Amino acid sequence: MNQLPKESIIKLQSHINKEVVIQFQGGRQVKGTLLSFDNQLNLVLDEVRELPSQRILGLVICRGALINSFAIDGMVEIENPYI
């Protein structure tokens, strides 16, 4: 049985070398420059700062399974479509 490769609904290639904000399970947030990613959505970020403390972390590998949200150019609150 031939299986087609799964495609991610997130098109990260166009966001390489751009600043992103990542929120992890548990609520921690970091902001940095997206350098690379893989098909499990593990991310490599550079010049990373923890938010809101601005603590400098440097080069970080973010495990895709622990990422809750990914924001480019800030976040916008939207109405909950399930209410």
Side-chain angles (χ1 to χ4, degrees):
M1 184 186 319
N2 290 337
Q3 290 185 345
L4 296 174
K6 293 182 181 179
E7 289 187 35
S8 174
I9 60 170
I10 302 172
K11 304 296 183 199
L12 293 178
Q13 188 62 43
S14 63
H15 303 296
I16 296 291
N17 295 321
K18 293 186 182 173
E19 194 167 78
V20 297
V21 176
I22 305 295
Q23 182 174 16
F24 297 99
Q25 292 178 9
R28 292 179 90 178
Q29 287 186 346
V30 296
K31 185 179 201 176
T33 304
L34 179 64
L35 294 182
S36 184
F37 63 94
D38 64 13
N39 56 356
Q40 280 84 34
L41 294 181
N42 297 315
L43 308 177
V44 179
L45 303 178
D46 196 14
E47 301 174 3
V48 177
R49 293 181 176 268
E50 187 174 13
L51 301 176
S53 68
Q54 296 297 319
R55 182 172 68 148
I56 298 172
L57 302 176
L59 185 68
V60 174
I61 298 173
C62 305
R63 187 167 176 221
L66 300 178
I67 296 173
N68 271 353
S69 67
F70 176 93
I72 303 155
D73 298 327
M75 293 188 216
V76 176
E77 187 172 342
I78 62 170
E79 185 177 325
N80 186 342
Y82 300 106
I83 295 180

